[in-house]
Amino acid sequence: MGGEPGAQRLMESIARFRRADWHKKVLEGYKPSELRVLSMIEKGCLDDARGVTISAISELMRVSPPTVTPLVRSLESSGLIVRSHDEEDRRVVRVRLTEKGGRIRRESREVYIRHFKELYDYLGEARSDQLADLLELVYRFLEEKHKRETEQSEI
């Protein structure tokens, strides 16, 4: 098969990213998943200053609420977030960043941006643009493939 060596090279190149763990080195002392939850809480609070619900966080992260709950507990015990009952519906629990949580979120964002700036500087403008174009194309391919597979499974 003519495309097999090329497909193998793509597979190996992508596998190297997983082994490199570059995404796990954002901020010392915090798991990437915890920092991601802080980001989603910050994002959710932009829409509603009262805070964001666990289910809203899980929707933003595209995971189930049971995946988010232990992360929220950990962040709460570290003093990065606070939980409170909704004033209109006491059954609803809302989550907000504390001052410390906001500071950690800002620090993690700065480190994350710095990592990508370093990559941009390393690659240069032309290759960075080329890489972004290729990654967007890969994303589009995966979205279209997922859509086709979903449509076929519904038949």
Side-chain angles (χ1 to χ4, degrees):
M1 288 186 226
E4 206 168 289
Q8 183 70 30
R9 182 175 175 218
L10 279 174
M11 189 172 67
E12 290 168 0
S13 296
I14 290 173
R16 273 190 235 123
F17 281 97
R18 202 170 318 140
R19 289 191 302 268
D21 287 338
W22 67 275
H23 65 287
K24 294 184 179 179
K25 299 172 183 157
V26 177
L27 200 60
E28 192 66 37
Y30 298 97
K31 298 175 192 168
S33 55
E34 291 173 327
L35 296 173
R36 191 163 173 234
V37 169
L38 290 178
S39 176
M40 296 303 110
I41 293 170
E42 179 183 61
K43 185 176 186 174
C45 287
L46 293 174
D47 295 331
D48 191 336
R50 298 174 301 167
V52 62
T53 63
I54 301 290
S55 60
I57 296 168
S58 66
E59 284 176 29
L60 289 167
M61 293 180 70
R62 295 182 179 162
V63 298
S64 66
T67 302
V68 173
T69 302
L71 293 167
V72 167
R73 271 194 216 110
S74 172
L75 293 169
E76 184 178 34
S77 68
S78 298
L80 301 178
I81 64 168
V82 291
R83 287 196 255 192
S84 59
H85 288 282
D86 188 285
E87 292 181 14
E88 296 169 13
D89 184 347
R90 302 290 294 161
R91 296 171 297 175
V92 175
V93 175
R94 296 194 174 273
V95 181
R96 291 185 328 274
L97 297 178
T98 62
E99 187 176 317
K100 180 181 176 184
R103 183 174 45 78
I104 295 300
R105 171 63 190 128
R106 285 187 300 278
E107 287 176 25
S108 69
R109 184 184 313 117
E110 289 168 10
V111 169
Y112 193 71
I113 290 168
R114 187 171 59 244
H115 286 180
F116 279 94
K117 174 143 181 23
E118 289 169 357
L119 176 61
Y120 180 87
D121 291 344
Y122 178 79
L123 294 175
E125 182 178 358
R127 284 188 172 161
S128 294
D129 288 343
Q130 183 181 19
L131 177 60
D133 289 342
L134 289 170
L135 290 172
E136 288 169 7
L137 193 59
V138 168
Y139 180 80
R140 200 169 326 137
F141 165 77
L142 294 172
E143 285 288 304
E144 289 170 6
K145 184 177 191 279
H146 175 72
K147 184 179 177 185
R148 283 191 309 272
E149 289 170 352
T150 302
E151 289 170 353
Q152 287 176 354
S153 69
E154 292 174 352
I155 294 176

